[in-house]
Amino acid sequence: EVQLQASGGGLVQAGGSLRLSCAASGFSVGDYAIGWFRQAPGKDREGISHIRGGDGSTYYADSVRDRFTISSDNAKNTVYLQMDSLKPEDTAVYYCAAKRGSPYLPMLYYDGMDYWGKGTQVTVSS
């Protein structure tokens, strides 16, 4: 059975850090692109960071570049999102999703992914 399990969210003060994990089962993250998306109340879902399993290529949205770092541990079949220098505007539900193959990362859209995990809430207080 294919599953994606996002975890690691929580409440943190502005300037703090969190590390989100996206644990996959039923497929190998090395054969997929894994994307992190987030949705804040009243806003559209936003793709923020993606990684391509085949070659390790990464993508960051402007809103998180230089603050967030995506990485993959193929042995653990898990993708991580290290979030530093968090801001109140980072408050959202964060989702991970998987797309088979080696897609063009800047053009990954949530609705175009193959598998989705349940979200994890990140709340950044000011």
Side-chain angles (χ1 to χ4, degrees):
E1 180 184 4
V2 171
Q3 279 192 329
L4 282 170
Q5 181 66 50
S7 62
L11 173 63
V12 65
Q13 288 189 328
S17 298
L18 284 173
R19 188 177 80 156
L20 304 184
S21 299
C22 177
S25 58
F27 69 97
S28 172
V29 297
D31 297 329
Y32 283 69
I34 305 296
W36 283 100
F37 301 82
R38 68 184 182 187
Q39 189 165 24
K43 295 190 176 181
D44 291 335
R45 187 174 284 118
E46 173 189 16
I48 57 170
S49 186
H50 313 315
I51 188 166
R52 201 158 56 202
D55 60 9
S57 297
T58 58
Y59 161 83
Y60 298 95
D62 290 344
S63 57
V64 305
R65 187 173 293 117
D66 299 327
R67 298 189 298 122
F68 291 10
T69 304
I70 192 169
S71 62
S72 179
D73 185 335
N74 288 358
K76 294 184 177 180
N77 218 28
T78 299
V79 171
Y80 302 98
L81 185 68
Q82 178 66 41
M83 307 188 296
D84 298 320
S85 302
L86 283 162
K87 305 175 181 179
E89 51 262 45
D90 294 318
T91 295
V93 178
Y94 284 68
Y95 302 87
C96 62
K99 178 73 173 175
R100 190 177 295 110
S102 300
Y104 180 55
L105 296 180
M107 294 299 293
L108 280 183
Y109 294 98
Y110 187 81
D111 290 343
M113 306 299 278
D114 294 317
Y115 306 120
W116 301 265
K118 294 183 180 180
T120 184
Q121 175 72 45
V122 172
T123 302
V124 184
S125 63
S126 56

